[in-house]
Amino acid sequence: MSSPMSPTHRRGSDRHADRRGSSFSRRDSIDPRKLVPMDKMTHISGTDDFNVVFIGAGNIMFGSEEGPWNHSFRFEHKLGRRLKVVALIDPAIERAKEVLRKKCDSFVISAYENTRIYKNFEEFHKNLPKSLRPRAFVVGSPPMFRGTLKAGRDIETQILKHYPGVALFIEKPIATGPVEEIEEGYKIAKQIEETRTICSVGYMLRYLKAVQMMKHIIEENNLTVMTTIARYACAYEAIAKPDWWDKSKSAGPVIEQGTHFCDLSRYFGGEVDYDSVAAHSLEWDENAGQLSAMKVDESKIPPENRIPRVTSATWKYDSGAVGTFTHVVALQGTNYSCELEVYADGYCLRLVDPYVQPILYVRKPGDDHEQTYRFPDDDPFFSEVSNLIDIIEDIEEDPDAACILSSYEDAVKTYELTWAIRKASEKSRAAKLEASRKATA
């Protein structure tokens, strides 16, 4: 909903609220020219400490060889010496100590030399001095431990209760619990909106320059999306985490991994008619589903919890457009193969390799040849963190530069879509097995 005030006459609080990323903010794109690379960004000005609490001491927060994620690294580069990580919350105390030791042995020691370690949120809340009140919580704990209203898995509501007004950055997906708990996610989203809490969810691909260029082309030419076609093929040989292969723990590859491309599909296609979702899967026990380079002993996982090798889904958007998504567990080595195509009248926008070196191919009316745009060294992880901090700081130099592209409510909608795909594929598999049973009876 647009504001009755023009941007130049808006009060700071009104402008601030419009950019928070809640459902009352309707701007959902950023001028791609405003996305400044990390190595070109100067540290945000100011002399006061910017206190942050990290929840989770794992790979998402501190990085690994498996991928480019590392939230601490981006906060360090955005805030410079202003960053003060006042607390690190993780039940694995020794792991937390080890990551802090490495940080304190580096040039970012000023951010971590006084960091306190707590095993859970309750201990943190009871013992953190009030003088160290955080400006932001970064929630990177495993999704099975958050995203609900149940005790022990309700970190969002605990923060909202004890630290009202403090900003949230929450990693995706928002949860990996039972499908029946999705409604609890919407209730959390409502609390976040009603308290006007700044909240960003880590669907970082929305912040790619290529993605924002796609949005710009669609908006500039007043296009209506006809279909989105997404494919996500992972390199399974490098996935050595047993929980990933167990859908009772990770909720399955579509929900845990393919969620990024389901989210991008929604970003361009709009609201989904969940009842229209249909899907099929290739399962572990089918001939075509045999894998030769697994690093995990799948025999230790109960058969009913083993993940599908392929999941392919179609659905209708409320606009009438059609969406398709295929997730594939087939590649070896380390590189993934991921693409998204968006079609509109006269146009094809094709995004390739968004995780490593994004390339955008654009076909327009009047030319059968695609134009190629490359975006070397684009870092959407940094862009999402940079935008969040600009909004927390309420930077006024360019109020149109920063906005949150993935609110909590929007993330719940993506989560619901991924669950709808999983349920639809399980339904079609059950129907096939039943038909086979009757045929041999």
Side-chain angles (χ1 to χ4, degrees):
M1 184 178 295
S2 60
S3 168
M5 296 181 284
S6 67
T8 55
H9 292 93
R10 229 183 255 169
R11 296 191 309 275
S13 60
D14 292 317
R15 181 194 65 254
H16 190 90
D18 281 351
R19 296 190 288 147
R20 288 171 181 250
S22 296
S23 61
F24 48 76
S25 174
R26 303 319 304 167
R27 187 160 66 91
D28 68 345
S29 62
I30 301 172
D31 185 336
R33 296 170 296 181
K34 304 289 187 181
L35 298 172
V36 180
M38 186 165 61
D39 62 342
K40 302 292 192 299
M41 174 76 69
T42 55
H43 295 317
I44 194 167
S45 61
T47 58
D48 59 315
D49 292 343
F50 193 104
N51 294 340
V52 176
V53 173
F54 287 163
I55 301 178
N59 296 344
I60 291 293
M61 202 70 75
F62 294 101
S64 76
E65 295 180 356
E66 293 182 13
W69 41 81
N70 186 333
H71 292 318
S72 63
F73 179 70
R74 275 76 180 192
F75 273 83
E76 292 156 10
H77 279 260
K78 176 66 175 181
L79 290 165
R81 293 185 64 83
R82 290 185 61 198
L83 174 64
K84 295 293 181 287
V85 180
V86 296
L88 174 58
I89 304 173
D90 195 299
I93 299 296
E94 292 305 314
R95 179 175 61 187
K97 288 180 179 179
E98 178 61 17
V99 295
L100 288 183
R101 183 192 64 77
K102 291 179 180 178
K103 290 291 187 181
C104 289
D105 283 344
S106 71
F107 69 96
V108 293
I109 182 174
S110 64
Y112 298 95
E113 58 187 344
N114 296 312
T115 302
R116 301 162 186 246
I117 297 175
Y118 301 98
K119 64 182 179 181
N120 55 46
F121 185 83
E122 182 181 11
E123 181 182 83
F124 155 80
H125 177 59
K126 287 181 178 178
N127 294 284
L128 186 77
K130 288 184 169 47
S131 61
L132 297 179
R133 180 179 173 85
R135 304 273 315 269
F137 284 90
V138 182
V139 182
S141 52
M144 67 278 291
F145 299 121
R146 48 185 167 86
T148 78
L149 301 176
K150 296 176 174 61
R153 298 169 56 213
D154 60 345
I155 188 66
E156 301 89 348
T157 56
Q158 290 300 311
I159 294 172
L160 293 171
K161 175 182 176 181
H162 296 294
Y163 297 90
V166 178
L168 298 171
F169 178 86
I170 300 172
E171 190 45 60
K172 65 79 208 167
I174 53 101
T176 52
V179 65
E180 296 80 17
E181 293 179 346
I182 291 176
E183 193 57 38
E184 296 182 28
Y186 283 110
K187 291 178 180 177
I188 295 170
K190 185 177 181 181
Q191 290 181 30
I192 290 171
E193 179 169 353
E194 289 178 345
T195 56
R196 302 184 74 81
T197 299
I198 298 172
C199 180
S200 176
V201 178
Y203 282 107
M204 79 288 176
L205 294 183
R206 293 189 179 203
Y207 294 85
L208 281 170
K209 288 183 180 180
V211 168
Q212 290 308 310
M213 185 174 179
M214 294 166 73
K215 273 284 188 180
H216 179 71
I217 292 171
I218 291 169
E219 293 168 359
E220 184 179 50
N221 294 282
N222 195 28
L223 302 177
T224 299
V225 171
M226 300 172 66
T227 187
T228 63
I229 303 172
R231 173 178 53 75
Y232 190 117
C234 72
Y236 75 88
E237 185 180 17
I239 303 175
K241 185 179 179 181
D243 285 0
W244 188 86
W245 296 88
D246 186 336
K247 62 184 179 182
S248 71
K249 297 178 180 178
S250 68
V254 172
I255 294 171
E256 194 277 340
Q257 187 180 72
T259 183
H260 276 299
F261 267 49
C262 290
D263 184 73
L264 273 188
S265 298
R266 286 190 54 256
Y267 189 47
F268 288 102
E271 301 297 341
V272 173
D273 176 3
Y274 299 107
D275 292 336
S276 71
V277 176
H280 297 280
S281 63
L282 167 65
E283 296 294 333
W284 65 273
D285 57 349
E286 295 182 276
N287 183 55
Q290 305 305 303
L291 300 177
S292 62
M294 288 179 63
K295 302 299 185 185
V296 170
D297 183 357
E298 198 173 32
S299 67
K300 295 181 179 180
I301 301 172
E304 66 274 14
N305 293 336
R306 297 175 192 173
I307 65 168
R309 291 5 182 180
V310 178
T311 304
S312 185
T314 61
W315 61 84
K316 290 279 286 183
Y317 293 103
D318 286 353
S319 66
V322 175
T324 71
F325 172 68
T326 298
H327 183 279
V328 185
V329 182
L331 299 180
Q332 297 178 11
T334 57
N335 289 338
Y336 289 27
S337 176
C338 304
E339 293 190 16
L340 173 70
E341 297 179 359
V342 178
Y343 288 86
D345 185 16
Y347 288 80
C348 172
L349 311 177
R350 184 162 60 93
L351 174 65
V352 177
D353 200 15
Y355 289 98
V356 183
Q357 292 292 338
I359 304 173
L360 177 61
Y361 299 95
V362 179
R363 176 172 167 174
K364 299 179 179 180
D367 188 355
D368 289 350
H369 299 91
E370 293 179 323
Q371 294 176 301
T372 303
Y373 301 88
R374 299 178 185 275
F375 304 84
D377 303 319
D378 189 15
D379 185 352
F381 292 96
F382 178 74
S383 294
E384 68 178 349
V385 167
S386 180
N387 274 265
L388 172 66
I389 293 173
D390 285 352
I391 292 169
I392 295 172
E393 292 278 86
D394 199 15
I395 290 177
E396 301 186 15
E397 285 84 350
D398 190 353
D400 290 329
C403 68
I404 289 172
L405 299 180
S406 180
S407 68
Y408 197 90
E409 180 184 30
D410 207 36
V412 178
K413 291 178 180 179
T414 291
Y415 183 52
E416 185 170 7
L417 172 59
T418 58
W419 256 114
I421 292 172
R422 173 177 160 176
K423 297 296 288 184
S425 68
E426 291 175 342
K427 180 180 179 181
S428 66
R429 173 171 165 80
K432 178 183 177 182
L433 292 175
E434 178 63 16
S436 297
R437 186 190 65 79
K438 289 182 177 179
T440 57

